[in-house]
Amino acid sequence: MDRLFGDSFGLPGQSRTVGAVGEGYLPLDVYQTEKEWVIRAAVPGIDPSAVEVTVDGGQISIKGEIKPPENAQTENYWLRENFYGKFSRQVTLPEEALGEQAKAQFVNGMLIVSVPKAQPAKPKSVKIPISGGTGSNSEPRQLETTARK
């Protein structure tokens, strides 16, 4: 039932697949600004080299592993809510996202992936020659028009 509600009310185009069996769930924030899409994931205490961010077609994949503290012994815990282990997450990018130009960085325990948006084509004025017609002037006339690239 949770999966049904998550898929129904999640972001459009967002993959909610957690990854392989035994992998943990990586919560994400995905939002847009005027010029880019931003994916944020809280991964406190993780070594940046333990995270892999890839783009394949229209999907960003984030994989990694959060290792427990070296001196952690499970029998000593009274409450344990932090996740330790492998995680994997995929996000389907909107069509206007330029996945090949994505950048990732760690800032205060947050993995931030920025994906630029494609800018719409600007109209360009092009003169198109016109030939033929009647009259003594046989030179082509120029017609100015606006075309989109």
Side-chain angles (χ1 to χ4, degrees), residues 22-38:
E23 289 188 353
Y25 182 74
L26 179 66
L28 300 177
D29 292 335
V30 181
Y31 62 92
Q32 65 179 320
T33 66
E34 188 176 312
K35 295 184 178 184
E36 65 186 359
W37 289 94
V38 180

Side-chain angles (χ1 to χ4, degrees), residues 8 14 16 41 60 64 77 82-83 109 111 125-126 133 135-136 140 148:
S8 298
Q14 180 180 355
R16 293 203 169 266
I60 295 274
Y77 281 91
N82 289 312
F83 169 77
L111 171 65
S125 182
V126 177
S136 61
R148 293 189 186 263

Side-chain angles (χ1 to χ4, degrees), residues 1-142:
M1 192 58 98
D2 290 337
R3 191 168 155 194
L4 172 65
F5 279 104
D7 290 344
S8 298
F9 299 109
L11 293 171
Q14 180 180 355
S15 172
R16 293 203 169 266
T17 306
V18 173
V21 174
E23 289 188 353
Y25 182 74
L26 179 66
L28 300 177
D29 292 335
V30 181
Y31 62 92
Q32 65 179 320
T33 66
E34 188 176 312
K35 295 184 178 184
E36 65 186 359
W37 289 94
V38 180
I39 303 165
R40 291 176 23 137
V43 285
I46 193 167
D47 179 1
S49 66
V51 177
E52 179 182 298
V53 180
T54 58
V55 62
D56 183 15
Q59 286 194 333
I60 295 274
S61 297
I62 303 170
K63 297 179 184 179
E65 183 174 3
I66 301 173
K67 303 228 184 226
E70 290 181 21
N71 59 354
Q73 296 176 359
T74 53
E75 64 272 3
N76 293 337
Y77 281 91
W78 182 65
L79 175 66
R80 186 172 186 177
E81 294 181 340
N82 289 312
F83 169 77
Y84 299 104
K86 292 183 179 182
F87 60 84
S88 175
R89 193 71 191 269
Q90 291 183 330
V91 176
T92 301
L93 298 171
E95 287 183 26
E96 73 269 11
L98 301 172
E100 305 80 33
Q101 296 177 21
K103 294 184 182 336
Q105 63 179 336
F106 272 90
V107 177
N108 297 327
M110 296 293 287
L111 171 65
I112 302 171
V113 181
S114 302
V115 185
K117 290 181 179 179
Q119 299 302 313
K122 296 180 180 175
K124 181 179 177 184
S125 182
V126 177
K127 291 193 177 204
I128 300 173
I130 300 174
S131 59
T134 58
S136 61
N137 189 356
S138 61
E139 287 186 30
R141 293 183 356 222
Q142 298 286 323

